[in-house]
Amino acid sequence: MRVGPDDILDFWFSDRARERWFASDAAFDASVRRLFAPLCFDLDRAPSVDGHPWLDGPEGALALIVACDQFTRNVWRGTPMAFALDTKARAAALHSLDSGYDWVFENEARSLFYMPFMHAESMEAQDLCVALCETRLGEEVSTTRHARAHRDLIARFGRFPHRNAILGRESTPEESEFLRSGGYAPGAKRQAKTSS
């Protein structure tokens, strides 16, 4: 089956998927792999997303960002490949911002255009994310609070300490203590709610 933007958006914005955003759920990860792993592999093999046909409109651009920035974390959870398409996600997000695509959507979907910057180990990208969230989502929404927390980690450590083990990086003593003490670790996903 050839996957299109509507398939991605219908899936990602379904009630079942929404409950599992930013959560660790093996069954949900398996669903994403079954439906979208071939697309993720195709996007990984592509040299870039420049000129990708989905970038011609807001829905397609959002679907491309979800695939590059969210699906990868489900398909390849716990491996370095989980971050393999982050650069492409940021490129799609920058194109979308230049095109004004984020303004087409309400906050819940709009926030996904800013996530690729939140996931970057770069102060420039983190500052952009916080500015976008504050001005386009609101100062006190959950996404903005998480954007500030991500930026604080990059300002403090220059990287996300919770990725060190996955990426084979040695943690500094300060990072090790931070992780041991239960410091903010956006990659340590909460368990999904089970329905009764």
Side-chain angles (χ1 to χ4, degrees):
M1 174 182 109
R2 190 87 178 148
V3 171
D6 288 346
D7 301 308
I8 291 171
L9 298 182
D10 288 348
F11 174 86
W12 195 245
F13 289 99
S14 68
D15 289 341
R16 178 178 179 266
R18 273 190 177 100
E19 291 175 357
R20 288 159 178 82
W21 288 8
F22 320 120
S24 179
D25 183 313
F28 182 66
D29 287 351
S31 295
V32 175
R33 273 193 297 277
R34 182 173 42 79
L35 296 168
F36 302 110
L39 171 66
C40 291
F41 279 108
D42 287 346
L43 289 167
D44 182 53
R45 285 190 290 269
S48 76
V49 293
D50 294 343
H52 194 287
W54 292 5
L55 291 176
D56 289 344
E59 288 79 11
L62 178 58
L64 186 60
I65 290 167
V66 169
C68 291
D69 188 63
Q70 298 296 322
F71 286 172
T72 53
R73 285 155 167 79
N74 299 103
V75 170
W76 294 307
R77 186 182 301 284
T79 75
M81 286 297 291
F83 317 110
L85 300 183
D86 283 7
T87 300
K88 291 173 181 173
R90 284 192 299 278
L94 284 170
H95 174 88
S96 298
L97 294 176
D98 288 344
S99 302
Y101 293 161
D102 56 322
W103 288 113
V104 171
F105 301 95
E106 297 297 324
N107 275 13
E108 180 184 55
R110 185 182 303 153
S111 69
L112 295 168
F113 287 95
Y114 314 144
M115 292 285 170
F117 308 112
M118 193 185 300
H119 290 152
E121 291 184 322
S122 149
M123 274 309 297
E124 181 182 7
Q126 291 294 326
D127 286 338
L128 175 60
C129 182
V130 169
L132 289 166
C133 289
E134 288 178 347
T135 58
R136 299 182 182 198
L137 299 176
E139 293 270 343
E140 297 307 319
V141 300
S142 174
T143 302
T144 302
R145 289 193 297 275
H146 283 288
R148 291 185 192 118
H150 281 71
R151 182 184 62 186
D152 290 348
L153 283 180
I154 298 303
R156 180 173 174 184
F157 299 110
R159 60 189 186 174
F160 293 120
H162 59 277
R163 290 185 187 175
N164 289 349
I166 294 170
L167 295 175
R169 304 187 302 208
E170 189 172 336
S171 292
T172 66
E174 185 185 10
E175 289 172 332
S176 295
E177 178 55 32
F178 176 79
L179 293 170
R180 265 194 310 275
S181 70
Y184 182 75
K189 307 273 185 169
R190 65 178 169 78
Q191 293 301 309
K193 297 176 191 168
T194 54
S195 30
S196 46

